[in-house]
Amino acid sequence: MDRLFLFLFLLVSNNTKVEANIPNIEPSNYRTLINLFNEWRVFETPPTLDGAPDYSKERFNRDYDEFSSLKYRLNEIDIQKWPVEYQIDWYVVNAELNGYDFNYKVLKPWERDPAFYQSVWMYESDVPAHEGPTNHGTLEFWSYKFPLDKKNKKKIKTDLKVIPSLLDQAKINLTGNARDLWMAGIENFKQQSKDLRQIEEKISVYHPEEDLFKLLENAKHSTQKFTQWLEYKLPNKTGPSGIGKENYTWYQKNVHLLPFSWEDEVRLLQRELDRAWSSLKLEEHRNSHLPQMVSADTPNDFDILTEKSINKMMKFLKNNDIMHIKSNMEPALRAHRGTFQAKEKRNFFSIGMHYDPLPLYSHFYHWFDLAQVRDEPHPSPIRRGPLLYNIFDSKNEGIATGVEEMFMHAGLYDDNPRSREIVWIMIAQRAARGLGSLYAHANEMTMEEAGKVHVKWTPREWMKREPHLLRFEQHLYLRQPGYGTCYITGKYLIEKIIANRSRQLEELGQSFKIKDFLTQFNDAGNIPVELVHWQITGEKPNDLIKP
């Protein structure tokens, strides 16, 4: 009954929005796709078991016939004569259903991955949804504003109640033998204990009610007991954690819609790693007559550097016709400007930020993107919210990584050439960590060995400074196939769009304008880059074949 009610609600609300926003040229049977999408999203949300989302094997097996029916009905929709943007929506829905099927048959995070049951999130993701497989019962503490109003106080109580029940269920569901995932997941729950203590401190200031503290105590106790259970079971976990080359290739091509095999990605990332290192060395030679960069080593110096950098970024984007400037862009950048860190506590990203924040602020294109999602909802209900299974990764991480180099080539560092060195270091680091993740998924390396590739091939030993970032990144990439490589693969595919679109315009006697391209790119929504390519150029990728 809960699913039926939710389905009917979404059907009515989304149909209203479609009529208001989708152009009148929509195909007559497009509404069939919208209705199926709504029904699919209701199906994907699990029913509850003892107050928590139900990830039991019995539930998945019981529901698979219903999933197969959805898949069959999707394939029955005739889209051959649809305009491109509507066909793209079909491929998005198909990719999500492929993702569910892959998780059911191969990835099985509810069986193999303890971190799947992490519920407490203290920070907002810089992409449309949390990175990696995430359960449906999360407590998004970053979203709460204190003091809590009546509605949010009720909501946080509901969120806290889920934790003990979900972790009790996890002890039954977690039957996998993936040692690296199991071992790394223990750290997630040690962190969840710390986060719950931080929440308790915050609540004690504003809401010292007995019922809230009792719920917190239950959540803390269950998290501690679950951590102990994971540690007790660890010695018996001896299996690989990667999904293998063949599964990896299928997943990338059918879920994230990348035209690459595992071997293709190895070649591409190795090429990008070599290019970044060689470019860095040439950049250092070019700058050898210049003084070395000096980091901001006091809070005041960091504040001055930060303010100068934000102003420079926004002025650069506007005065050089890089982007159409919107009123929500500078506030989005300022909200995530970073904080001062003592030298001995800086990780890879904060090391660079204390020399010059602009390379990382270029990557903060993420926040421009999310501001658009918030303030300018996409006309298509299929593209309006976050796509499931991190299918957005090639677009969101690809463009954030891509503009680091694009803005550099467009002149962002003409007055500070040493900052170009940071850009090449960042590209090398992303290529190195992605390579490590590929070998881990092929089960040719453990997660620890993949991390050594990450560290060895990051210039200037900047990854040796902070082991927590290293562990977090390699763990995420092992949990979510393709995420470790999407920064580079997405960047490459975006450069390919620019190449093809530029050629098209040149043949028409027109010039390519980066500002217009980025507008088109952003307005396509957070969908796989290959689908954006199709929408912008009209050229359908060869790998996109409707069953």
Side-chain angles (χ1 to χ4, degrees):
M1 291 297 292
D2 291 343
R3 278 186 171 177
L4 177 61
F5 175 80
L6 182 57
F7 167 57
L8 292 173
F9 172 78
L10 287 173
L11 182 61
V12 172
S13 62
N14 274 315
N15 278 346
T16 303
K17 292 174 183 174
V18 170
E19 292 173 353
N21 293 300
I22 294 291
N24 291 327
I25 60 171
E26 73 173 48
S28 59
N29 58 338
Y30 176 68
R31 195 62 55 91
T32 303
L33 177 65
I34 297 299
N35 293 344
L36 190 145
F37 170 74
N38 291 331
E39 191 176 345
W40 147 245
R41 283 299 187 89
V42 171
F43 168 83
E44 194 276 336
T45 303
T48 58
L49 177 66
D50 296 330
D54 183 359
Y55 298 109
S56 65
K57 185 175 183 178
E58 294 76 16
R59 196 275 294 180
F60 279 108
N61 291 342
R62 185 175 64 245
D63 284 354
Y64 195 75
D65 285 345
E66 185 178 350
F67 167 76
S68 298
S69 174
L70 288 168
K71 185 72 170 171
Y72 174 81
R73 288 162 52 200
L74 178 67
N75 290 333
E76 286 296 295
I77 300 175
D78 183 4
I79 66 171
Q80 289 186 3
K81 296 181 180 180
W82 287 12
V84 167
E85 60 267 32
Y86 296 99
Q87 290 192 52
I88 286 173
D89 280 356
W90 185 95
Y91 280 96
V92 169
V93 179
N94 189 56
E96 286 199 345
L97 267 67
N98 285 343
Y100 180 93
D101 205 24
F102 186 87
N103 277 11
Y104 173 77
K105 295 175 180 176
V106 179
L107 196 62
K108 300 180 181 180
W110 43 85
E111 289 185 12
R112 302 172 65 247
D113 179 11
F116 177 75
Y117 294 96
Q118 177 186 348
S119 298
V120 180
W121 293 87
M122 304 299 284
Y123 62 88
E124 179 183 10
S125 176
D126 61 3
V127 290
H130 286 303
E131 300 160 329
T134 306
N135 72 71
H136 293 74
T138 58
L139 191 165
E140 305 288 342
F141 190 69
W142 60 270
S143 68
Y144 287 100
K145 302 293 186 292
F146 283 81
L148 299 170
D149 59 22
K150 185 177 180 180
K151 178 181 177 181
N152 280 299
K153 191 183 295 185
K154 181 179 179 181
K155 184 177 185 304
I156 200 169
K157 288 180 180 179
T158 301
D159 291 345
L160 286 167
K161 286 178 183 177
V162 169
I163 293 174
S165 180
L166 183 63
L167 295 183
D168 284 343
Q169 185 190 143
K171 293 176 184 178
I172 300 171
N173 298 342
L174 282 167
T175 58
N177 191 33
R179 180 172 176 80
D180 279 346
L181 289 177
W182 197 278
M183 184 163 50
I186 291 171
E187 299 303 317
N188 288 58
F189 283 93
K190 289 180 179 178
Q191 184 61 50
Q192 178 158 301
S193 288
K194 295 177 183 177
D195 293 339
L196 285 167
R197 289 195 293 271
Q198 185 178 338
I199 291 173
E200 186 176 49
E201 291 172 5
K202 183 88 170 183
I203 286 178
S204 67
V205 174
Y206 293 97
H207 302 284
E209 291 96 336
E210 183 178 345
D211 57 342
L212 254 177
F213 277 97
K214 184 176 180 180
L215 290 171
L216 269 166
E217 194 60 36
N218 290 340
K220 287 192 302 177
H221 178 73
S222 61
T223 298
Q224 182 182 15
K225 298 298 287 184
F226 184 67
T227 307
Q228 293 170 349
W229 180 82
L230 290 174
E231 291 173 330
Y232 172 74
K233 292 286 187 178
L234 178 60
N236 295 321
K237 302 301 175 181
T238 58
S241 295
I243 60 173
K245 296 178 185 179
E246 184 177 349
N247 283 328
Y248 185 96
T249 295
W250 191 95
Y251 186 76
Q252 289 294 76
K253 290 190 174 185
N254 293 278
V255 181
H256 288 238
L257 305 186
L258 270 70
F260 305 127
S261 65
W262 180 90
E263 291 82 3
D264 292 333
E265 291 198 0
V266 169
R267 285 190 290 270
L268 176 58
L269 267 72
Q270 186 62 59
R271 169 68 186 112
E272 196 72 351
L273 179 61
D274 296 340
R275 188 179 74 93
W277 267 86
S278 60
S279 297
L280 172 62
K281 295 302 127 180
L282 292 170
E283 202 73 55
E284 290 171 345
H285 176 78
R286 178 190 181 197
N287 298 333
S288 58
H289 66 289
L290 299 175
Q292 294 294 324
M293 298 186 79
V294 177
S295 63
D297 289 337
T298 69
N300 184 59
D301 287 344
F302 183 78
D303 287 344
I304 293 171
L305 178 63
T306 297
E307 185 64 24
K308 178 182 176 182
S309 298
I310 291 173
N311 292 332
K312 182 180 178 181
M313 171 65 79
M314 299 309 302
K315 183 178 178 180
F316 169 78
L317 296 176
K318 179 181 179 180
N319 293 351
N320 292 277
D321 281 337
I322 305 297
M323 295 184 71
H324 290 277
I325 304 302
K326 303 174 183 178
S327 60
N328 60 12
M329 289 171 65
E330 184 170 338
L333 181 58
R334 287 186 174 278
H336 301 90
R337 53 188 281 160
T339 56
F340 174 76
Q341 298 287 328
K343 251 185 178 180
E344 65 275 8
K345 293 184 179 180
R346 294 173 194 168
N347 66 20
F348 172 83
F349 294 107
S350 56
I351 290 171
M353 178 175 267
H354 282 69
Y355 283 118
D356 185 352
L358 286 174
L360 200 55
Y361 285 173
S362 299
H363 195 84
F364 284 3
Y365 193 101
H366 277 314
W367 300 111
F368 297 158
D369 194 14
L370 293 184
Q372 177 167 339
V373 170
R374 180 193 65 218
D375 299 336
E376 304 169 58
H378 198 279
S380 165
I382 292 172
R383 306 191 209 183
R384 192 170 296 147
L387 301 189
L388 304 179
Y389 316 120
N390 288 184
I391 293 173
F392 50 76
D393 61 358
S394 64
K395 188 190 189 240
N396 293 90
E397 299 292 10
I399 191 61
T401 305
V403 295
E404 295 171 13
E405 188 175 345
M406 292 180 201
F407 292 170
M408 176 182 73
H409 292 319
L412 181 57
Y413 308 111
D414 284 357
D415 61 344
N416 188 15
R418 282 285 186 193
S419 293
R420 295 170 62 93
E421 298 170 18
I422 299 176
V423 174
W424 294 120
I425 292 169
M426 290 174 67
I427 293 173
Q429 188 257 9
R430 295 195 177 94
R433 70 189 185 184
L435 269 176
S437 75
L438 282 166
Y439 294 127
H441 268 297
N443 293 315
E444 295 178 2
M445 289 185 179
T446 64
M447 195 178 95
E448 182 180 0
E449 290 167 340
K452 290 179 180 178
V453 175
H454 188 165
V455 171
K456 177 180 179 180
W457 287 101
T458 295
R460 299 183 186 173
E461 299 189 340
W462 280 10
M463 277 306 304
K464 286 187 176 179
R465 299 279 298 276
E466 217 276 9
H468 300 292
L469 175 65
L470 175 67
R471 184 169 55 243
F472 166 80
E473 291 186 330
Q474 286 300 330
H475 183 205
L476 165 63
Y477 306 151
L478 194 55
R479 300 182 65 231
Q480 177 59 64
Y483 212 100
T485 59
C486 73
Y487 304 83
I488 300 300
T489 56
K491 172 180 176 292
Y492 165 75
L493 291 172
I494 293 166
E495 292 166 348
K496 189 174 180 180
I497 302 177
I498 293 174
N500 287 351
R501 185 57 183 154
S502 299
R503 173 188 52 78
Q504 289 178 333
L505 292 170
E506 190 171 291
E507 290 174 352
L508 295 171
Q510 300 174 18
S511 59
F512 174 85
K513 297 180 180 178
I514 186 64
K515 181 164 68 172
D516 293 341
F517 168 76
L518 289 176
T519 296
Q520 289 180 302
F521 186 86
N522 295 341
D523 289 349
N526 295 307
I527 58 177
V529 172
E530 284 287 81
L531 297 181
V532 181
H533 189 148
W534 186 11
Q535 181 155 321
I536 289 178
T537 68
E539 298 174 352
K540 184 177 181 180
N542 293 330
D543 285 4
L544 290 179
I545 300 174
K546 184 178 183 297

